[in-house]
Amino acid sequence: MGKAKSPRRVGDNEALAVGTSIRGSAQKLNLVAQQIRGKKVEEALNILTFSKKAMAKDATKVLASAIANAENNHNLDVDALVVAEASVGKAITMKRFHTRGRGKSTRILKPFSKLRIVVREEEEA
């Protein structure tokens, strides 16, 4: 009996990886994601490796996971992979308080982000 298998969320020539709780704001992570959208995977890894942005390290891990998923789970050719999609969203926000003068306090927000990377196998022209 059991439950029916859920359909794949991406195409047959695509692989997916998601980083669910990356420490930092979605706005900063999106600046890094913009740099790799539409690029070949090898070029995207080079961009992230030599980027000065701190969020690039977490984006590199998610991209490497997407490449590994494509190779191991879906039998796709790694040399023909392209970053088809790199979408960023807000996750949780930790709330903390910082004490200030005269018995007051200020709220500190520590945001987390989500990064979803889809790699697609492109046919060589």
Side-chain angles (χ1 to χ4, degrees):
M1 284 291 299
K3 200 164 86 171
K5 184 179 173 186
S6 64
R8 281 194 70 197
R9 289 184 165 79
V10 292
D12 290 336
N13 64 339
E14 294 178 339
L16 167 73
V18 180
T20 53
S21 56
I22 297 173
R23 180 69 178 85
S25 71
Q27 188 175 10
K28 291 178 185 176
L29 184 59
N30 194 35
L31 292 173
V32 174
Q34 282 177 350
Q35 294 177 328
I36 63 170
R37 283 189 191 117
K39 301 270 194 317
K40 290 187 94 36
V41 164
E42 185 179 350
E43 186 184 349
L45 279 174
N46 284 335
I47 290 170
L48 293 175
T49 303
F50 296 109
S51 175
K52 291 183 179 182
K53 302 260 183 210
M55 303 293 272
K57 191 174 283 188
D58 294 317
T60 305
K61 290 179 184 178
V62 178
L63 180 58
S65 177
I67 295 167
N69 289 343
E71 184 177 12
N72 298 320
N73 300 347
H74 306 298
N75 300 321
L76 301 178
D77 181 24
V78 177
D79 297 328
L81 290 178
V82 172
V83 179
E85 180 184 326
S87 57
V88 177
K90 289 164 82 173
I92 63 168
T93 301
M94 289 194 304
K95 279 92 173 175
R96 299 291 181 263
F97 286 94
H98 186 260
T99 54
R100 304 307 295 254
R102 298 186 173 196
K104 295 184 175 129
S105 64
T106 305
R107 191 177 216 190
I108 295 177
L109 301 176
K110 298 188 174 190
F112 284 76
S113 309
K114 287 185 268 194
L115 176 62
R116 180 179 190 264
I117 294 182
V118 176
V119 292
R120 179 180 298 136
E121 186 177 36
E122 293 283 321
E123 300 302 321
E124 293 297 322

